Amino acid sequence: MKVRVTLFGALREADPHGFVEMDVPDHCTVATLREALQTHVRNHAPSISENLIKRSAFASEDEILHNHRHVPEHGQIAVLPPVSGG
Amino acid sequence: MTDIYTAVVDIAHAPLNPAAALEFVSDPRFGGIATFIGRVRQHNHGRVVTGITYDLFDPLALRIFQEIGERARAEVGGPLKLYIAHAKGSLRIGDFAVVIAAATPHRDEAFRACRLAIEAVKHEAPIWKQEHYVDGDSAWSEGCSLCEEHREAELAAAQQSKQTHGHGH
């Protein structure tokens, strides 16, 4: 399936469009998506540290999706680097 | 729930408004109002800051603000009105970044609810701060991980640091 990963914060620098699109296995978990994103960033935005992807969470518009969760079937997900509001 | 107001404010359109926060939480039941206002400061870690850009994932941020409000209500264990608004976009020195107001019958619950809300907004909401410096450089703040594998360890480390050095963000 094709997944669009919306970028925020420091991860916006991975792509000027504000998102990356990747092919991942159907019904895959967030852990699998994380590995795919790490590979994508390594190849396309090597200035971004792998540790930043490791420390990032994934989320829908409604909730954080931890590693064991499935990627939403509509193929839209956000990657959230460590947060710094306030 | 009408006793909890949450907002993400694009400051290209309007600044945050502390008076609106006070107006929202004011209620004849409540004798105590605690507020927290966060503003953009000129120095951070020894560098001169000229401005800040806040990036937010709006729908999730609003949902988490609401969850924080419900948690504050449970903590207080009685009537509460709570206002949480965070700025989005490019802010200058002195601009309001975040406004929290909590109103309860007495001061103790108001202080507790306000403190709970601002700490949770800083550590749990999908908000990212990019500082711009006088030398033209910019940097995203390091921040707190929302990833479960890292979160517990980082919170424990922050707690340890707080005991020895104070919590810096």
Side-chain angles (χ1 to χ4, degrees), chain A residues 2-85:
Chain A
K2 193 174 283 295
V3 177
R4 176 179 287 208
V5 183
T6 306
L7 307 167
F8 290 97
L11 287 176
R12 281 190 183 274
E13 291 163 23
D15 194 299
H17 295 101
F19 62 84
V20 297
E21 287 188 331
M22 298 182 300
D23 281 311
V24 296
D26 287 353
H27 313 300
C28 79
T29 63
V30 166
T32 301
L33 177 68
R34 184 189 301 277
E35 288 174 18
L37 183 63
Q38 275 192 315
T39 303
H40 180 95
V41 167
R42 195 180 305 134
N43 293 334
H44 296 89
S47 63
I48 290 179
S49 92
E50 290 203 15
N51 195 43
L52 185 58
I53 309 277
K54 282 185 188 158
R55 294 178 66 220
S56 295
F58 289 81
S60 67
E61 292 190 351
D62 299 321
E63 60 177 335
I64 304 290
L65 300 170
H66 292 303
N67 273 337
H68 65 279
R69 299 286 298 275
H70 290 279
V71 172
E73 290 193 2
H74 53 63
Q76 305 274 344
I77 199 165
V79 61
L80 315 180
V83 298
S84 50

Side-chain angles (χ1 to χ4, degrees), chain A residues 8-10 12-13 34 54-57 59-64 66-68 78 80-86, chain B residues 54-57 59-60 63 86 98 122-123 125-129 140-150 154:
Chain A
F8 290 97
R12 281 190 183 274
E13 291 163 23
R34 184 189 301 277
K54 282 185 188 158
R55 294 178 66 220
S56 295
S60 67
E61 292 190 351
D62 299 321
E63 60 177 335
I64 304 290
H66 292 303
N67 273 337
H68 65 279
L80 315 180
V83 298
S84 50
Chain B
Y54 278 110
D55 188 17
L56 282 90
F57 184 22
L60 184 62
R63 189 167 283 264
H86 202 289
V98 58
K122 289 176 81 77
H123 298 132
I127 303 170
W128 300 273
K129 177 167 69 175
W140 291 96
S141 294
E142 192 158 323
C144 297
S145 178
L146 299 180
C147 174
E148 60 187 342
E149 284 81 2
H150 292 84
E154 291 182 11

